[in-house]
Amino acid sequence: MNVIWTVIVILSVAVMALSGNGNVLSTCIEGCEQALSFCFMMCAFYTFWGGFFGILEKSGILNKVTNVVKPFVKMLYGQASDRAVGYIALNMTANLLGVANASTPSALSAIQQLQEDNGTSADKQIALLFVINATSIQLLPSTVIAMRTKFLSVNPMDILLPTLIATAATTVLGIVLIKLSFKSKQWRT
Amino acid sequence: MADVILPVLILTVLIVAFANKTNCYNAFCTGAKSSFLDSLQLLPYIAAMFIAVSMLRTSGVGDFYTQICAPLLKITGIPQELAEIVLLRPFSGSGSLALLSEIYSQYGADSYVSRCASVIMGSTETVFYVSAIYLAKAKLKKLPFILPITLFCTFVGAVLSCLLCSLM
């Protein structure tokens, strides 16, 4: 990450300075402004979904869902406490329903819980969680469909099947690859 | 249908919780408070990503990179017109949505190019943001292999998307 980010910034600043293509300082500030408004939106989502999750927990609903999903999660992730399984279950549900903004908070809570429970062996579990989330697993690509409708597509839902196949395929591929990588010595545990 | 799922879900949870004598208000506020405080920690990492993306686009380095990669992508079946969105997608969600909207207005929402773009967008994620956020939370500088694997899968996803659209 360090290499990628630093190289990008160095390259871009150099090109901007040499070609006069843009003002370096104002681009940086612009980037920060965009980041701020993005974070503002994210804080709003986190606050809402964090609260909603609190209700799920306190009411015992989460426990029931967790019990159903636990065997499957254990099969994929290995050792995980009930709370971690709950967060992972919520993350999967949010992803599948296409509620992307609920999936990140629950993933972060899962990460924290996994680290508390398993210490450094949580690294592999976090990697797996990342790969599943970052390859996108969505039953309903609502944003895309909404945009197509706005642009007067004849049948906005006709991309549903290809999207399902592609999203499932990439996620499965990701899971297989990361699990294969676990054999490598680069993992701390 | 999507409009219905979420309200139904929220409604069901609230009703069941309330019926079980849960203090929904307190549970909500406690959960919200800790989530909100957590989310504030993310700002520096998100700022780093946005600055990098902003600089890539303004300096023209992004465009240059796209021009180089376009012929290579074409070999794998990804149309030339989609080179920019495929390359931007792992870096910027809002940027790629903006590109998607441009593609729709330029080529029409039902053209082959637009359908490919739609499937690509629906089946991939903004990899670098997700990694910045997850790594920040886990307080880890890196996790082995996650970026190469995910980027590879994203690319495979893009190729597969175009293939599927040409078949369906």
Side-chain angles (χ1 to χ4, degrees):
Chain A
M1 194 59 178
N2 180 36
V3 176
I4 297 178
W5 189 82
T6 317
V7 166
I8 287 179
V9 176
I10 288 178
L11 206 57
S12 305
V13 172
V15 169
M16 271 199 265
L18 292 172
S19 69
N21 243 354
N23 184 318
V24 175
L25 187 61
S26 65
T27 311
C28 288
I29 302 293
E30 234 178 73
C32 279
E33 281 173 2
Q34 288 171 355
L36 263 175
S37 64
F38 181 76
C39 276
F40 192 67
M41 185 185 72
M42 267 187 53
C43 284
F45 279 116
Y46 273 57
T47 311
F48 172 70
W49 286 109
F52 186 67
F53 189 77
I55 297 180
L56 280 179
E57 255 190 309
K58 282 274 154 63
S59 65
I61 295 179
L62 187 64
N63 276 335
K64 300 213 176 67
V65 172
T66 309
N67 282 332
V68 171
V69 168
K70 210 169 18 180
F72 179 66
V73 171
K74 284 237 157 93
M75 186 177 73
L76 210 57
Y77 285 88
Q79 194 50 34
S81 71
D82 281 354
R83 280 201 85 181
V85 172
Y87 289 124
I88 293 174
L90 191 66
N91 172 255
M92 285 304 300
T93 315
N95 275 325
L96 289 170
L97 292 179
V99 192
N101 289 300
S103 64
T104 318
S106 47
L108 295 186
S109 301
I111 289 175
Q112 188 172 347
Q113 193 63 45
L114 285 169
Q115 284 190 317
E116 277 173 30
D117 299 337
N118 298 337
T120 52
S121 54
D123 282 7
K124 291 184 183 171
Q125 295 171 314
I126 295 172
L128 182 59
L129 187 66
F130 171 78
V131 169
I132 292 178
N133 275 272
T135 54
S136 176
I137 180 93
Q138 236 184 340
L139 286 179
L140 194 71
S142 27
T143 318
V144 173
I145 293 179
M147 274 186 82
R148 291 191 85 209
T149 316
K150 192 170 138 192
F151 279 86
L152 308 172
S153 158
V154 165
N155 185 6
M157 300 273 282
D158 69 1
I159 45 122
L160 192 60
L161 187 58
T163 311
L164 280 178
I165 297 176
T167 195
T170 52
T171 306
V172 168
L173 180 65
I175 296 176
V176 166
L177 287 177
I178 196 82
K179 289 228 162 194
L180 279 177
S181 86
F182 286 165
K183 297 200 167 81
S184 156
K185 292 205 181 72
Q186 283 200 42
W187 291 97
R188 285 197 278 173
T189 49
Chain B
M1 193 187 91
D3 288 338
V4 171
I5 292 182
L6 205 53
V8 166
L9 192 70
I10 296 180
L11 212 56
T12 317
V13 169
L14 283 175
I15 292 176
V16 170
F18 193 62
N20 278 342
K21 300 192 196 318
T22 316
N23 188 331
C24 291
Y25 177 71
N26 272 349
F28 182 85
C29 292
T30 317
K33 179 174 163 189
S34 64
S35 268
F36 170 68
L37 291 172
D38 276 347
S39 70
L40 287 177
Q41 314 266 359
L42 300 174
L43 179 60
Y45 302 92
I46 301 209
M49 280 313 308
F50 269 94
I51 290 174
V53 171
S54 188
M55 301 200 79
L56 264 186
R57 301 196 91 190
T58 319
S59 66
V61 172
D63 285 337
F64 180 65
Y65 180 59
T66 307
Q67 278 172 22
I68 296 186
C69 292
L72 297 170
L73 292 178
K74 200 164 151 201
I75 298 175
T76 58
I78 297 177
Q80 207 95 349
E81 300 88 337
L82 296 182
E84 209 187 348
I85 201 175
V86 168
L87 291 169
L88 189 63
R89 179 53 165 150
F91 288 94
S92 167
S94 44
S96 32
L97 276 179
L99 280 179
L100 184 68
S101 146
E102 275 172 36
I103 290 176
Y104 284 159
S105 46
Q106 203 176 342
Y107 301 100
D110 290 313
S111 62
Y112 171 67
V113 167
S114 297
R115 295 181 71 236
C116 286
S118 310
V119 181
I120 291 174
M121 286 298 292
S123 62
T124 56
E125 261 298 344
T126 320
V127 177
F128 285 102
Y129 282 129
V130 181
S131 87
I133 293 177
Y134 280 37
L135 289 174
K137 182 66 176 179
K139 298 190 174 65
L140 294 169
K141 293 231 175 60
K142 71 169 200 147
L143 283 169
F145 300 112
I146 56 170
L147 279 182
I149 289 180
T150 321
L151 290 173
F152 176 67
C153 291
T154 307
F155 177 68
V156 168
V159 174
L160 186 61
S161 303
C162 296
L163 188 66
L164 288 169
C165 282
S166 67
L167 294 172
M168 293 188 181

